[in-house]
Amino acid sequence: MAWQLLLPFFTGALLGFVSHGAGEDSALKERGRWAEATVVAVKNENSNKTAQCTLRKPHGQAIEPDLKEGHGCEDGIERGDALRVRYDPEGVADPEDESWKPESYGGLIAGLATVFVGFGVWGSVRMSRQGRE
């Protein structure tokens, strides 16, 4: 019976993860700005942790939060390098490098939500049948 809880749990967790990414993409698409930025520091560049680049615009304003590995802070990026990034002026969404293209998560979110609800209905029907037997 415990395995019946695992499928909805993992589906719900995946749904939350995908929805978070969709929200960040939507924020960058709606209010994001392109900027030339300079890398002023690279954290965790020689460790197993995710590398993070601290960025500043040419006039000195910081871009928050830091640019992460996989979003533009890749191996070979060093202090002083210039990058073109799309950032959220409100600092809510993570910045992305110039290769960023907004993705459509609608189909994936709808599919995961359908599976999640389907597991709930299936579990309810099974519990109802067990109660009658």
Side-chain angles (χ1 to χ4, degrees), residues 18 21-23 25-26 29 96 99-106 108:
V18 170
D25 262 17
S26 180
K29 187 174 157 184
E96 297 280 349
S99 67
W100 176 78
K101 303 264 188 290
E103 295 182 31
S104 173
Y105 291 91
L108 182 58

Side-chain angles (χ1 to χ4, degrees), residues 5-93:
L5 296 174
L6 289 177
L7 293 174
F9 175 77
F10 285 116
T11 304
L14 185 59
L15 181 60
F17 181 74
V18 170
S19 296
H20 177 75
E24 285 201 348
D25 262 17
S26 180
L28 280 180
K29 187 174 157 184
E30 293 294 319
R31 64 177 181 252
R33 305 279 185 266
W34 286 106
E36 297 297 325
T38 303
V39 177
V40 294
V42 180
K43 299 176 198 164
N44 305 325
E45 65 182 318
N46 296 323
S47 72
N48 291 335
K49 295 181 181 178
T50 302
Q52 296 181 351
C53 295
T54 302
L55 303 174
R56 292 209 185 276
K57 291 196 249 179
H59 59 279
Q61 180 186 9
I63 294 178
E64 295 289 337
D66 290 344
L67 183 67
K68 294 185 177 127
E69 187 174 350
H71 299 267
C73 186
E74 308 303 331
D75 290 339
I77 298 287
E78 297 177 351
R79 186 172 188 252
D81 286 350
L83 301 173
R84 185 166 189 259
V85 296
R86 186 159 180 104
Y87 72 100
D88 178 9
E90 295 180 20
V92 176

